Amino acid sequence: MRIRNIFLVLFGLFVSVLSAQEKKVLSISDCDYWKSLQNSIISNNGKWICYEINPQKGDGYLYLYDVDNQRLDSVIRGKGAVFSPENDFLAFKIVPQADSIRALKLKKTKTEKMPKDTLCVWTLSDGERKMYPRVKSFSVPLKQGGWLAAYFEKQQNINKSTYKDTTQLVLEEELERNIETKPDSTRKIKDKKFESEGTQLVYINPSAGDSVSFSQVSNFCVPRYGESLFVVESTGDSTEHSSLLRLNIDQLAIDTLFDQQGKVENLVTDEHATQLGFLFSPDTVKYKTFRLFYWQQKKNELSLVVDTMHSSLPKDWCAHAKGELWFSENGDKLFFGTGMRPQEEPEDTLLKEEKVFVDVWNWKDKRLQPMQKKNLQKEKDRAYKAVYLPLKGIVRQLETEDFDEVSVLDKGNLDYVLVNDYQPYLRASSWSADWAKDIYKLDVKTGEMELIQKRVSNGLGFSPEGNYLCWFNPSDSIWYLNNISKRTQMALTKGLKVAFYNELNDMPVAPKSYGIAGWGKDSKYVYIYDRFDIWKIDTQMKSAPVKLTSGRSASTIYRYVKLDKEQKYISEDKGLFLNTFNEITKNEGYGLLKNGKWNEFVDESVRFYSLSKAQESNILIWQKGDFNNYPELAFSELDFSNVRVISNTNPQQKSYNWGNIRLVRYNALNGESHQGLLVTPENMDKDKKYPMIVYYYERSSNRLHYYYSPRPSRSTVNWVNYASNGYVIFIPDIVYREGDPGLSAYESIMGGVMSMTQQFPFIDSENIGLQGQSWGGYQTAYMVTRTNRFKAAMAGAPVSNMTSAYGGIRWGSGMSRMFQYEHTQSRMGGTLWDKFSKYVENSPIFFVPQIETPLLIMHNDNDGAVPWYQGIELFVAMRRLDKPAWMLTYNEEEHNLTRRANSVDLSIRMMQFFDHYLKGKPAPVWMEYGIPALQKGEDMGYDLVE
């Protein structure tokens, strides 16, 4: 019997090993079919759950789960679903087939139009689905109402041969049968000689089967509570004529509120459709001057609020069509945009060669010229906030050219707004990294403005009633409270023996706060975070601050989760729903803090995603996963009981060799204790040796339980792809010292590599590579100038010369790079002229002769974060000194790759590069011989040179 048991054990081991060997190795092409679960939503009553599962390439599915009946249904290519507020239907788009779109793009024909989206309305009570083809957009009331507005594209000719699925073609013919129109016999549509931009809009009640159709609609508005529908029909003979119509939902009657020659823009109502605002211009010229109109249901009265000019607006200003038009939640304010009255452009009488093209840089400019140019179109289209108070008939300009940023609090319900003045600090922000502002209170009724607080840069929070400002002062690390009405200030956290600043900050800049959790009823209390805990602080300072949680002793972070997005206050009576994260174990969980007692619902070695609660029930939806398990969608009770998983996103994963991950600890060369991550192949044989790639950025150990989908690389090694292909990946945490970013990285990385090779004999210490992107790319470039320990290295978008990069521009934003080097990520702690030797010491370019490690660089010619010339400087220096170096420059690409084809290419080349140096495989053609410019795009050079 014992011999037989031994045989069974051996046979089981053999089967297990054989099974592991039979698993496939991940390839780049496999990534196309790896899927992601997205856009999960739950109905208000908690009885229906909807989500999408989409592959990286191709067509996905939309799923609908019936909670009561435990039934799952699906629709191919469903996107952007919305539940009705009354829980009676689900609306979403069905997008065209991916291969149909691709086929048309390959044709490159201008006459054949692309297929359009189809609207699907799924009635939840009986499962009936109705389809409406060529939909442009749709809108559902957010609060209540069983109607849906469907806005359609213009009819077009579609080549039927491009469709493999003929369903959408049939739907085109059935559209009119699905819509039972109820036209208003009193309205007459004018002759359609005018080329209207408007198309058909249909308001549909899926449950009752009612629908009302409108023609040539150019604009429409669905109120939050859905009592009415407002549409603009654009018709005309030789010029545009706009008719503004209101559909009364109860009676299905249509009223004409406005009917004039001209154009209507920016239509908006209050929540219950009792007020309406819109912009209108009778101008027939290209650059139109708009007027602001206001309609009130109670008086059934339409009034002109702002004509082509108004005494309350700056001279030559008017209502601006680019501005946002919206009502406050309580309906007592109508916010709109204003700006300079548009002018016709003068006739151009100069030839191009006769014009002057020059940028004048002035040392007094608040913003550098590149930053001004980057925001040029935004500034041209700029609209400044203004407000109309219907009850008082007051128009008030809020933003001006001098004070151009106003914050509107509490959904516009307060009688004042905040004016944020960055001007005093704007010029110095180029090098100070201090984006501070002065805050003023502007009374919308009186126009009076008063200073609340000077120089606020972090941790800003206003109470829901707007009577308190809570802010964090980085200079003394204290939270302060300003009583706005009494104009008093008090220090809330002074004397508390706990740090409210970021304790892990290692940049030469004042550390930021951990933020505010929220406010108690009537703002009697404010809840403030430290690194681990939540503090309840009396805004009247009548009682001592109370620490509600006990996270510090256990290294557990507690954070408040706002389940009801409409809730203004934290209610201790109901309890605080909290998320937890342990910095040591990396466990995550949830629980309820009520009456001073902590009730832990869940605490696991996983990561949670996308938690959401049904508005009218205690049903939660959430995703949970770890490195080995995709975060599937589940639902449960509020206390995480009765859990049911309802998705199965990547069942094919079980057929592939995956990886495993562990948390590791090591000492850096300076003796400090660090954490890191070690990823190993799933089928690893501990008696064999595996090449290792060291990947880094800053701190990454908190990502222990993240799931990594196999996908083409935008710039970095994909941990799962490389583990599947027989690599070990080591990810060390890096802690920095001011003025020594390169040396700090060296100490952390080298200490970690020495520790890993000593702890784990399966790591091939003779075949270790480095890989990093951006800041990680800089660290790679630095490392290879300081050690020949590594067989190969890949640096993505590296800074190679801090002395030349320091005074450069971040072209993506137009900002000077000085702030980054002095105070943020580069951590130099001073100017180039004050710390010149440190800048040189930390610049790899000055130590290129010491490089012996083959280096692959990726640096793209449209990189807006790290200038392209930084990669060029490093490459041409290595080339001159006959150092093995390659540089991949993807044309018109960003800092990280954006086009999938380029990502696939980078993934192939980077794997071939490491395979050659760390596994001894033959070099590919592109590494051995290069790719001549004449063969660019024709010969990729992937073939291996035998």
Side-chain angles (χ1 to χ4, degrees), residues 306-352:
V306 176
D307 201 343
T308 55
M309 60 183 67
H310 194 283
S311 59
S312 297
L313 305 185
K315 184 180 180 182
D316 297 326
W317 281 31
C318 64
H320 200 307
K322 295 288 185 179
E324 185 181 5
L325 189 67
W326 59 286
F327 279 95
S328 59
E329 183 184 50
N330 60 16
D332 69 345
K333 304 176 191 72
L334 173 60
F335 294 90
F336 64 103
T338 62
M340 286 290 295
R341 188 179 302 121
Q343 302 291 329
E344 292 288 340
E345 294 183 354
E347 183 180 354
D348 193 350
T349 59
L350 293 176
L351 300 173
K352 184 176 181 180

Side-chain angles (χ1 to χ4, degrees), residues 576-595:
L576 279 68
F577 191 85
L578 304 180
N579 170 256
T580 61
F581 177 80
N582 187 278
E583 288 189 348
I584 298 174
T585 66
K586 315 303 179 184
N587 278 20
E588 187 177 359
Y590 291 92
L592 189 71
L593 180 67
K594 188 174 182 180
N595 298 325

Side-chain angles (χ1 to χ4, degrees), residues 191 308 328 459 464 718 723 785 819 874 881:
D191 295 336
T308 55
S328 59
N718 181 284
T785 67
F819 77 91
L874 182 58
L881 295 173

Side-chain angles (χ1 to χ4, degrees), residues 174-201:
E174 294 182 349
L175 175 60
E176 296 304 324
R177 277 181 298 187
N178 280 339
I179 301 169
E180 179 187 353
T181 60
K182 299 192 180 204
D184 178 13
S185 60
T186 63
R187 292 190 296 121
K188 293 183 179 180
I189 302 299
K190 296 176 172 58
D191 295 336
K192 298 181 180 180
K193 295 178 182 179
F194 167 68
E195 190 64 31
S196 173
E197 297 177 357
T199 61
Q200 185 183 26
L201 181 138

Side-chain angles (χ1 to χ4, degrees), residues 628-639:
N628 298 95
N629 298 284
Y630 186 86
E632 301 295 356
L633 184 64
F635 70 92
S636 68
E637 301 293 334
L638 196 63
D639 61 358

Side-chain angles (χ1 to χ4, degrees), residues 266-280:
N266 297 29
L267 191 68
V268 69
T269 74
D270 65 1
E271 290 203 336
H272 290 280
T274 61
Q275 301 175 94
L276 175 74
F278 64 93
L279 300 182
F280 172 76

